[in-house]
């Protein structure tokens, strides 16, 4: 039963082929088998999951019409879950048990989904490899000496290796799409405001969005239909009605105009295999009825510095709340401590190196003498990037790019060089800076057998077109039938 899609798991429960308890047991068995090697989970909520599954099985009538009844799901550990530890993979929140549940998670549970565990991520979602977790290394199931991408690396691995058919992640600058691409699955970052951020541990509030990681585009559409919508608890969530995103998946891309920023695609640092497969994917979309148009996004080349100024500025402000008084970890008292000394020691021991780097950078760019030169300038460039897209969308319906300039790199390869790590985000951060929806869909394998992702970006609140094109491509190319080799403590027949 491992390696089932979300839609198949849901149908299996609906028709009575599998009980919710059986679906959960299959997930838990896959975790017990593979997670000692892969390290996708920070916590497995087996008892809670099994008792909820049993309750859903007992009351079939009440759950029969819920879209995700009986389906196990994994949740990135920066989404709050009441009574389940939520750490954001940070020492400072190691013992934090939230009293409330994030809206996106609550919506999944209300739809009948069952949380089987919390997934490992870069500390406070800061990173592109999941190596910044304070707790464990997460390995790419396609090659276990490689990173799974990040920051939602645990969520991507949970889905890619068949431990759960759906995982939630968060995407501030690519953290859903990039690990999805590097693990050979689908990752969707919705329009800013499409999904409530309530209960998501804040990194950069003007960029953060919650979204699904799945095997197929149809599953991403199903999951988005459940988690999207306005929320009184998040003033930045949008009240727009939520369509059933699964109905528009017609299997063709007829009439769609897809823009390709050639300069970026042919730019420095783009792996040859990545460029080739993205080009082939465009041919496939053309054969499915789309027209391909060359476009220019002149400011996109400045996206990385812009993003790393805006994101660190917001992070430095958001992370000021971790002072040892209100949340989680507090450094033990030493002698006649002052309050200030307690704050300093708590933050010095509670945060990892990357988080500290970003707090310092963010504090610096917001400081009186440098605000105009850095933060204000970055906000101005952010506007130019958004205008680039607005101009492009006068001409085209979607923009196509690679998701990541390279396939998965080796564990340890970039950890000592933050700038190299940041460069992995060149194609993903613009969608966050502009608030646009974007999806990564598998589009082939490198010569070394590592997955490659195609990224499509759409207009604000036009997830429907994004999903339609990605689904049309997926049906033709069908990369989703390829699964990683079994990586496990036990081997299966
Ligand atoms: N890799 C980017 C960063 O390190 C994006 C992270 C994210 O989307 N959460 O900030």
């Amino acid at each position: 039963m491992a390696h089932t899609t979300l839609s198949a798991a849901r149908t299996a429960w609906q028709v009575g082929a599998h009980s919710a308890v059986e679906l959960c047991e299959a997930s838990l068995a896959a975790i017990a088998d593979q997670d000692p090697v892969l390290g996708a989970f920070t916590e497995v909520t087996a008892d809670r999951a099994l008792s909820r599954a049993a309750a859903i099985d007992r009351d079939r009538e009440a759950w029969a019409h819920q879209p995700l009844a009986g389906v196990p799901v994994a949740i990135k550990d920066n989404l709050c879950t009441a009574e389940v530890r939520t750490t954001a993979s940070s020492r400072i929140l190691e013992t934090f048990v939230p009293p409330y549940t994030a809206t996106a998670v609550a919506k999944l549970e209300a739809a009948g989904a069952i949380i089987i565990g919390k997934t490992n991520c870069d500390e406070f979602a800061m990173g592109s490899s999941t190596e910044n977790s304070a707790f464990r290394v997460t390995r790419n199931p396609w090659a276990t000496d490689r990173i799974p991408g990040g920051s939602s690396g645990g969520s991507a691995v949970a889905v890619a290796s068949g431990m759960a058919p759906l995982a939630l992640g968060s995407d501030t600058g690519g953290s859903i799409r990039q690990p999805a691409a590097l693990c050979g699955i689908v990752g969707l970052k919705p329009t800013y405001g499409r999904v409530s951020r309530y209960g998501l541990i804040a990194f950069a509030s003007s960029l953060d969005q919650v979204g699904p990681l799945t095997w197929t585009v149809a599953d991403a559409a199903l999951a988005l239909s459940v988690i999207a919508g306005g929320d009184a608890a998040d003033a930045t969530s949008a009240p727009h009605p939520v369509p059933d995103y699964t109905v528009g998946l017609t299997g063709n891309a007829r009439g769609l105009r897809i823009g390709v920023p050639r300069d970026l695609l042919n730019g420095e640092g783009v792996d040859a295999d990545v460029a080739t497969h993205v080009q082939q994917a465009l041919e496939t979309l053309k054969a499915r009825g789309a027209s391909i148009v060359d476009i220019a996004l002149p400011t996109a080349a400045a996206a990385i510095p812009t993003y790393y100024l805006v994101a660190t500025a917001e992070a430095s402000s958001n992370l000021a709340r971790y002072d040892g008084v209100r949340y989680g970890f507090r450094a033990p008292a030493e002698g006649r401590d002052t309050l200030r000394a307690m704050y300093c020691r708590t933050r010095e021991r509670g945060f990892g190196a990357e988080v500290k780097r970003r707090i310092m950078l963010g504090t610096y760019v917001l400081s009186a003498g440098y605000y105009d030169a850095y933060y204000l300038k970055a906000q101005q460039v952010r506007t130019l990037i958004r205008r680039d897209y607005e101009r492009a969308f006068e001409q085209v319906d979607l923009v196509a790019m690679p998701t990541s300039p390279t396939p998965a790199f080796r564990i340890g390869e970039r950890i000592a060089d933050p700038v190299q790590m940041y460069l992995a985000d060149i194609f993903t951060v613009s969608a966050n800076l502009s608030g646009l929806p974007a999806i990564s869909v598998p589009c082939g394998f490198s010569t070394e057998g590592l997955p490659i992702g195609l990224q499509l970006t759409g207009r604000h609140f036009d997830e429907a077109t994004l999903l339609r094109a990605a689904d049309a491509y997926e049906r033709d190319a069908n990369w989703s039938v390829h699964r990683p080799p079994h990586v496990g403590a036990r081997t299966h027949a």
Side-chain angles (χ1 to χ4, degrees):
M1 210 191 311
H3 283 310
T4 182
T5 61
L6 182 61
S7 319
R10 169 184 78 154
T11 307
W13 185 83
Q14 279 171 348
V15 303
H18 288 298
S19 66
V21 168
E22 285 169 334
L23 291 168
C24 267
E25 282 171 345
S27 256
L28 293 168
I31 294 170
D33 179 19
Q34 302 184 83
D35 215 44
V37 179
L38 294 174
F41 286 85
T42 48
E43 178 127 356
V44 179
T45 50
D47 293 345
R48 187 181 184 275
L50 287 170
S51 70
R52 210 175 120 75
I56 288 176
D57 284 336
R58 264 197 313 274
D59 206 356
R60 281 193 75 86
E61 299 258 298
W63 290 100
H65 299 292
Q66 289 303 333
L68 299 180
V71 176
V73 299
I75 306 292
K76 184 175 181 179
D77 206 18
N78 64 349
L79 283 155
C80 287
T81 40
E83 287 155 48
V84 176
R85 209 162 60 100
T86 300
T87 67
S89 292
S90 179
R91 289 259 169 252
I92 214 157
L93 288 177
E94 195 168 357
T95 57
F96 176 56
V97 179
Y100 59 90
T101 297
T103 299
V105 178
K107 285 189 170 195
L108 286 182
E109 288 197 304
I114 299 163
I115 299 170
I116 50 155
K118 305 295 294 284
T119 59
N120 197 31
C121 56
D122 285 300
E123 185 177 3
F124 285 103
M126 297 177 186
S128 313
S129 68
T130 311
E131 290 167 292
N132 294 330
S133 166
F135 303 126
R136 62 190 312 187
V137 175
T138 302
R139 296 178 183 278
N140 191 315
W142 293 94
T144 53
D145 62 336
R146 307 262 170 172
I147 56 103
S151 62
S152 315
S155 286
V157 172
V159 173
S161 60
M163 297 190 274
L166 164 67
L168 287 188
S170 67
D171 192 311
T172 305
S175 280
I176 291 173
R177 290 159 286 157
Q178 186 255 19
L182 271 39
C183 290
I185 59 168
V186 173
L188 172 67
K189 181 201 96 73
T191 308
Y192 184 76
R194 180 70 292 193
V195 177
S196 170
R197 290 183 296 113
Y198 178 71
L200 169 67
I201 292 178
F203 163 11
S205 306
S206 78
L207 305 164
D208 297 340
Q209 247 316 268
V210 179
L213 294 100
T214 55
W215 265 358
T216 64
V217 176
D219 281 358
L222 174 58
L224 182 65
S225 303
V226 171
I227 63 172
D231 178 10
D234 172 7
T236 64
S237 70
H240 300 47
V242 180
D244 178 348
Y245 290 103
T246 60
V247 298
L249 308 180
T250 54
N252 73 68
R254 260 197 296 284
L256 289 180
R257 292 160 304 166
I258 301 180
V260 183
R262 291 277 165 206
D263 292 353
L264 278 185
L265 194 56
N266 301 331
E268 205 187 322
V270 180
D271 179 274
D273 287 338
V274 170
T276 307
H277 281 91
V278 167
Q279 185 54 42
Q280 279 168 6
L282 294 171
E283 301 296 331
T284 304
L285 278 162
K286 207 164 151 184
R288 281 262 156 177
S291 51
I292 309 296
V293 183
D294 283 358
I295 56 158
L297 298 172
T299 326
I304 297 232
T306 307
Y307 168 82
Y308 277 93
L309 293 171
V310 173
T312 55
E314 293 185 18
S316 71
S317 160
N318 273 325
L319 271 60
R321 74 190 71 173
Y322 304 104
D323 56 9
V325 177
R326 286 165 291 192
Y327 295 90
F329 171 76
R330 176 188 299 180
E334 278 177 17
R336 285 166 55 101
D337 235 352
T338 62
L339 181 64
R340 192 182 160 78
M342 188 280 288
Y343 286 163
C344 292
R345 249 178 314 107
T346 296
R347 288 167 70 83
E348 149 33 54
R349 290 187 204 165
F351 290 136
E354 181 62 24
V355 173
K356 287 178 187 157
R357 180 181 296 122
R358 294 193 188 204
I359 291 173
M360 287 189 285
L361 203 69
T363 308
Y364 179 82
V365 304
L366 289 175
S367 61
Y370 299 97
Y371 186 94
D372 289 359
Y374 295 109
Y375 183 69
L376 195 66
K377 187 60 78 186
Q379 292 292 16
Q380 289 165 338
V381 179
R382 179 178 189 173
T383 302
L384 295 180
I385 293 172
R386 209 183 54 230
R387 287 197 190 136
D388 273 4
Y389 277 92
E390 281 166 8
R391 217 166 295 123
F393 285 130
E394 287 168 9
Q395 241 189 304
V396 297
D397 303 299
L398 297 167
V399 172
M401 284 184 269
T403 307
S404 162
T406 66
F409 43 90
R410 288 200 166 71
I411 292 170
E413 196 176 310
R414 299 195 189 179
I415 197 72
D417 186 348
V419 174
Q420 275 306 312
M421 191 70 90
Y422 300 168
L423 288 175
D425 306 332
I426 177 75
F427 295 122
T428 48
V429 293
S430 297
N432 304 76
L433 289 167
S434 329
L436 297 166
I439 194 167
S440 179
V441 58
C443 74
F445 291 88
S446 70
T447 43
E448 292 179 295
L450 300 167
I452 295 172
L454 166 74
Q455 177 179 229
L456 297 171
T457 306
R459 296 190 180 95
H460 288 120
F461 296 101
D462 194 12
E463 281 84 356
T465 302
L466 204 59
L467 290 160
R468 182 185 146 211
D471 167 70
Y473 171 70
E474 179 188 71
R475 288 194 203 190
D476 229 12
N478 213 6
W479 295 108
S480 65
V481 302
H482 298 267
R483 292 294 107 217
H486 178 83
V487 177
R490 295 193 301 272
T491 43
H492 288 297

